Amino acid sequence: KCLAKEPGERYQGMRDVVVDLRAARRRLESTSTSPIASVSGRMTTRQGFMRAQQYVYYGMFLIALAVAAIGGLQSRWKKPAVPAAAAGDKPSVAVLYFENNTGNPQLDWLRTGLTDMMVTDLSQSPDLEVLGTDRLVQILTDMRHQDDRVLAFDTVQEIAKRAGVKSVILGSYVKAGETIRINLKLQEAATGHIVTAERVDAAGEANLFPTMDDLTRRVKAKVVLPGRFDPSKGVIDSPMTMSTTTGSSIDRDLKDVTTSSIEAYRFYAEGIRLHERFREVEAIPWLEKAVQIDPDFALALIKLAVAHSNVGHSNERDAYARRAFEHVDRITARERHYIEGYYYSGRGETMAKAIEAYRIALELYPDHASSRNNLALLYYNSEQYEDAIRQYEESRRRRMPFPASHITLARSYIALGRFDTGQQVLEDYLRQFPDNVRGTANFGFLLADIGKLDDAAAMFAKSDALDPGNVVAAAGRRNLYILEEQWPNATAIALKLRQAKDSFSKLFGGFALAEDALYRGHTAEALRVLEQTAASGGADGSNETADLQNFAAGVLLDLDRPALVLGQTERALAAARGRNTENDSLALKARAESRLGRSNEASATIDVLTKKISVLPGERAKRGLHLLAGVMALDRGDPNGAIENLKRAEALLAPKPVSPVPPHIEVWFALGSAYLAVNNTAEAAARFQRIVDGDFARSGSPVAFVRSLYFLGEIHERRGDRAKAAEYYRRFLQYWGDGDIDRNRVAEARKRIG
């Protein structure tokens, strides 16, 4: 890497060299490795609504991501995968929230602030596992102790058990004049034996950082086992000084890895307190105050990126992630790789770097829960289920999974057809998190995926009782209403979401209303709702706007209005700004150009698209190309060519469709249509029937579902089974009989049932 031809690909400083040397040392010392396959991006024409549903169904934990091949150092050094170091083979500690004994509520911010300072300081050591504050909040929430001012020792022991740590740090603070006295004790979680008790005095808030640096050094000297690799010493002998007052090559002072402004840190502490409780809308103003004071505060910037992402603000997500990335020299190595991974994951062309950054983070810090969760989610979203399972199972083994991790792990097993294992994961989850609001709702979706609709309804009701009106449970209840054809109830939920205050609920509500209109055959209403949602969402030029416009373009393509499709896709491409939604827009644009007879323009668009996804190896990217080639062949009247490509796409589908809208629906519908065009009714009926029988998995595909009913009627009529044909025609008319779509088919269905 030092000899890379491009300057930007070389190391930017000696600290980067040290980090990779340490990673290499860990790999050489590791005796257990397992390969991690490369992954791919998404590329289908209905991904806009799929992405919006994923925001909901995964509880808004992270944005849906597309993934590319692993590049970077791997192209030069053939590196083994993340070592599976056993949890508990090195010291582990949880820093619990400090007690405010000042009697002054205005100093409550130090409860979070001092805890986070110590976690940040301790986490610089790769030979010490430190419980992250996000995981601490999750455990406290699940135990219903998140707001306790003082924790009983049996509660402390349970926290340590759930976190899988051997030691805990308990602290408190008082104030006399301007002096803040901080008391701390490090004790063994199992026995309560106090390893050390420390006390320091900070002469005012301005001196908190150096005081906490001193306190952390004392604790680290007690908790890191003698004879282990000392993180305060360099990996190589060098006359260079890469430290601050500590004289350490890696262990830097708080002011150098966070912010030099204690006021900025105070706002940051309040922001992360809210963020870790998923109160993103409240957290954002506090974090923005922090970066207004210190524009280079990388930790606050990345938290802002994540918070905005979780409420569907893609532009803000990208802007803050970029700013955080520009200041990675201001953070610890542990967080630096996380920020790099998060920043690079925003675009397909840099996904290889995202994978590499998370891998390095986990090689150096196997206990970094967020990096492991994000890496696993990258694999899951690109349908690399085995790789996702390995990462999620490692999280479970280390006792650090988030509730959503259980859900996505179970979903991965189910997608591979391993129902028993997925069911066991769900049962384990329910025992651990019986009252988690979003987790309970997501559990409902998984029960629905395996056909247990009554149990799913009970889970949605439970989630709604825990947090009335939460969007995840509302989405699940609405999908059940769709299956039961209770349209007033389904539309009532969509309207309520559309009228909500938060932008994410409004966005999803707009998608849902448009979808409901399509089930009734009212395409004009669907297009109007999409346009209004894009105009009123305040997200012009965002990824969310591009999703809405792609959805509208798909509707126009279903109506065979290719000229209007081109206008929508041009707007979507402008809004996508090179992000992953751009691939969906290009696919729609190519189909519209082809239908207009502009073969040269269509070929040029496909070339652009192919080049963009050529760096995305894996089955998902390949399937997307086969699907596009198949539907375009079908559009130009070449059903045999369509069948050839669509069979290849079908072969790359996961064994089991799982919600949200699975790619199976689009592939099956296109392949069924191609088989029908060559009068292979057996193969056509098999695909259309899968869609009609898809239950929960088909709830987000109104056009494919309703048209499948008509085609099944046509197939049974060709076979001479008029009674069965009439049954499908009647169902078709129940949906679109009063609509404005497929009026010729509506008339034909009415004629044939007499």
Side-chain angles (χ1 to χ4, degrees):
K1 187 168 181 178
C2 292
L3 299 175
K5 182 177 180 180
E6 296 296 329
E9 295 181 5
R10 302 173 198 155
Y11 290 109
Q12 302 301 302
M14 282 303 297
R15 186 179 296 112
D16 296 339
V17 181
V18 170
V19 168
D20 275 356
L21 284 172
R22 178 170 289 112
R25 172 177 175 166
R26 284 180 175 274
R27 288 192 297 274
L28 290 171
E29 291 175 348
S30 172
T31 59
S32 175
T33 61
S34 59
I36 295 181
S38 57
V39 293
S40 67
R42 63 183 63 190
M43 207 285 297
T44 66
T45 58
R46 282 298 312 279
Q47 291 298 331
F49 190 66
M50 287 175 65
R51 188 177 295 109
Q53 285 198 320
Q54 283 173 325
Y55 293 150
V56 172
Y57 301 155
Y58 302 149
M60 298 180 288
F61 281 93
L62 291 169
I63 61 171
L65 301 171
V67 192
I70 296 173
L73 288 178
Q74 192 178 36
S75 62
R76 295 172 175 82
W77 297 341
K78 196 67 176 178
K79 302 194 301 185
V82 178
D89 67 346
K90 60 183 178 181
S92 55
V93 64
V95 185
L96 304 186
Y97 288 112
F98 281 62
E99 297 176 19
N100 179 5
N101 293 331
T102 66
N104 183 359
Q106 293 185 347
L107 292 177
D108 270 353
W109 74 271
L110 288 173
R111 297 189 70 241
T112 302
L114 295 178
T115 302
D116 192 72
M117 290 178 198
M118 178 152 282
V119 168
T120 299
D121 253 347
L122 290 174
S123 296
Q124 295 188 69
S125 170
D127 292 293
L128 175 64
E129 289 194 359
V130 185
L131 184 71
T133 55
D134 51 358
R135 177 76 171 114
L136 173 62
V137 170
Q138 176 204 322
I139 293 172
L140 288 170
T141 300
D142 293 328
M143 294 175 62
R144 299 188 177 181
H145 288 292
Q146 68 269 32
D147 296 319
D148 288 5
R149 310 293 292 184
V150 180
L151 297 174
F153 184 63
D154 60 343
T155 302
V156 172
Q157 286 183 309
E158 180 62 21
I159 293 170
K161 178 182 177 182
R162 295 192 183 199
V165 299
K166 298 175 181 177
S167 304
V168 293
I169 291 175
L170 300 168
S172 63
Y173 55 96
V174 296
K175 188 174 184 181
E178 291 300 314
T179 300
I180 300 173
R181 171 162 292 177
I182 303 169
N183 298 290
L184 176 148
K185 58 182 179 181
L186 169 68
Q187 64 185 84
E188 295 175 354
T191 65
H193 170 70
I194 296 177
V195 178
T196 185
E198 306 289 344
R199 186 184 74 187
V200 291
D201 291 336
E205 292 185 10
N207 289 304
L208 278 172
F209 286 158
T211 302
M212 290 301 292
D213 286 330
D214 176 54
L215 183 58
T216 304
R217 280 193 291 272
R218 297 188 200 178
V219 171
K220 195 179 295 185
K222 300 290 184 179
V223 75
V224 177
L225 295 177
R228 293 189 66 90
F229 175 70
D230 184 354
S232 68
K233 294 183 172 59
V235 207
I236 55 176
D237 294 329
S238 170
M240 297 181 65
T241 301
M242 293 179 287
S243 64
T244 57
T245 58
T246 64
S248 159
S249 61
I250 298 297
D251 192 0
R252 294 185 288 163
D253 291 346
L254 278 167
K255 66 180 176 60
D256 296 316
V257 295
T258 59
T259 175
S260 59
S261 167
I262 195 67
E263 184 182 10
Y265 201 95
R266 178 167 65 87
F267 289 130
Y268 166 74
E270 182 60 22
I272 61 171
R273 183 186 71 81
L274 296 165
H275 163 68
E276 287 167 351
R277 289 160 175 79
F278 303 107
R279 294 163 60 181
E280 310 289 22
V281 175
E282 298 172 69
I284 287 171
W286 290 96
L287 294 169
E288 286 177 340
K289 289 178 182 178
V291 299
Q292 286 170 5
I293 295 170
D294 182 358
D296 300 339
F297 193 173
L299 288 179
L301 290 166
I302 198 62
K303 293 295 185 185
L304 266 171
V306 175
H308 276 294
S309 172
N310 287 348
V311 294
H313 299 163
S314 59
N315 286 350
E316 290 81 358
R317 182 265 185 206
D318 291 352
Y320 283 119
R322 181 178 64 254
R323 287 177 61 185
F325 176 77
E326 291 169 353
H327 298 294
V328 290
D329 59 325
R330 291 283 306 275
I331 55 177
T332 65
R334 178 187 177 95
E335 297 304 320
R336 167 199 151 183
H337 296 299
Y338 168 76
I339 288 178
E340 289 177 341
Y342 192 82
Y343 169 72
Y344 286 134
S345 66
R347 296 178 184 275
E349 60 267 27
T350 54
M351 281 295 169
K353 294 182 178 180
I355 294 285
E356 186 68 11
Y358 286 137
R359 282 167 54 90
I360 292 177
L362 293 172
E363 287 173 346
L364 291 172
Y365 306 96
D367 60 310
H368 198 294
S370 294
S371 289
R372 193 174 298 281
N373 187 73
N374 286 12
L375 180 60
L377 191 62
L378 292 178
Y379 288 137
Y380 174 82
N381 282 334
S382 59
E383 300 177 14
Q384 304 296 307
Y385 298 119
E386 294 288 0
D387 295 313
I389 287 170
R390 274 193 284 271
Q391 295 299 330
Y392 283 131
E393 287 290 8
E394 180 66 11
S395 291
R396 292 178 80 200
R397 191 174 67 83
R398 291 177 174 275
R399 299 183 182 180
M400 63 181 188
F402 300 106
S405 302
H406 289 79
I407 296 296
T408 315
L409 173 60
R411 200 181 295 275
S412 298
Y413 279 123
I414 291 171
L416 293 175
R418 297 161 66 178
F419 299 105
D420 291 343
T421 308
Q423 184 72 26
Q424 184 62 53
V425 171
L426 296 179
E427 291 172 357
D428 292 345
Y429 165 82
L430 195 58
R431 282 193 293 271
Q432 293 184 57
F433 309 105
D435 296 326
N436 183 279
V437 175
R438 290 183 175 86
T440 306
N442 276 291
F443 183 46
F445 277 97
L446 287 173
L447 289 169
D449 281 336
I450 58 178
K452 298 185 176 182
L453 300 185
D454 290 340
D455 293 338
M459 282 294 109
F460 295 140
K462 180 176 181 179
S463 178
D464 193 59
L466 291 167
D467 181 14
N470 79 81
V471 66
V472 192
R477 287 166 44 233
R478 174 182 165 274
N479 275 17
L480 288 178
Y481 286 139
I482 289 174
L483 297 183
E484 296 165 356
E485 299 184 359
Q486 297 186 30
W487 298 110
N489 291 335
T491 301
I493 290 177
L495 281 169
K496 186 174 181 179
L497 292 172
R498 184 71 185 93
Q499 295 164 1
K501 292 182 179 179
D502 67 284
S503 59
F504 175 78
S505 294
K506 287 182 178 180
L507 174 71
F508 182 77
F511 274 107
L513 283 173
E515 185 182 74
D516 290 353
L518 290 177
Y519 266 111
R520 299 192 305 273
H522 297 165
T523 59
E525 180 183 344
L527 292 168
R528 177 181 55 79
V529 168
L530 292 171
E531 188 69 28
Q532 288 179 346
T533 304
S536 64
D540 189 37
S542 68
N543 216 40
E544 292 74 40
T545 302
D547 279 338
L548 289 161
Q549 289 161 343
N550 282 338
F551 192 173
V555 174
L556 290 168
L557 199 61
D558 288 331
L559 296 173
D560 198 22
R561 299 177 185 173
L564 295 178
V565 172
L566 287 181
Q568 283 287 352
T569 56
E570 289 298 339
R571 293 169 61 194
L573 287 167
R577 300 181 183 179
R579 289 172 290 216
N580 299 320
T581 310
E582 187 176 68
N583 292 349
D584 307 332
S585 306
L586 289 170
L588 288 160
K589 182 184 178 188
R591 290 192 64 186
E593 289 168 338
S594 178
R595 286 195 186 182
L596 289 168
R598 303 175 184 176
S599 57
N600 291 338
E601 293 178 27
S603 296
T605 301
I606 292 173
D607 287 344
V608 172
L609 179 59
T610 303
K611 184 177 180 180
K612 281 178 63 66
I613 66 174
S614 64
V615 294
L616 306 177
E619 294 180 352
R620 189 164 199 161
K622 294 175 184 176
R623 186 184 65 234
L625 287 174
H626 290 314
L627 173 59
L628 179 60
V631 293
M632 289 186 68
L634 195 58
D635 286 344
R636 64 175 179 266
D638 179 13
N640 289 313
I643 290 170
E644 181 181 352
N645 277 286
L646 293 170
K647 285 179 66 177
R648 292 174 182 171
E650 185 181 50
L652 297 175
L653 290 169
K656 167 66 179 175
V658 291
S659 59
V661 185
H664 302 60
I665 304 297
E666 192 170 16
V667 173
W668 288 340
F669 184 78
L671 188 52
S673 301
Y675 276 127
L676 190 59
V678 296
N679 204 31
N680 188 337
T681 58
E683 294 290 351
R687 272 65 179 191
F688 293 134
Q689 198 66 54
R690 289 174 193 171
I691 296 172
V692 169
D693 295 341
D695 290 336
F696 218 65
R698 63 85 173 161
S699 58
S701 303
V703 174
F705 170 73
V706 180
R707 281 183 173 165
S708 292
L709 292 173
Y710 178 85
F711 290 140
L712 283 169
E714 184 178 311
I715 289 169
H716 284 288
E717 188 166 26
R718 290 187 191 183
R719 294 174 176 175
D721 190 345
R722 299 181 64 84
K724 196 70 174 177
E727 177 185 334
Y728 282 112
Y729 285 141
R730 287 191 185 95
R731 291 186 65 190
F732 169 74
L733 291 171
Q734 286 174 358
Y735 285 96
W736 285 0
D738 297 325
D740 56 28
I741 185 174
D742 285 8
R743 299 311 300 167
N744 57 330
R745 290 187 177 122
V746 168
E748 193 65 27
R750 283 181 173 147
K751 176 182 176 182
R752 291 180 181 182
I753 63 175

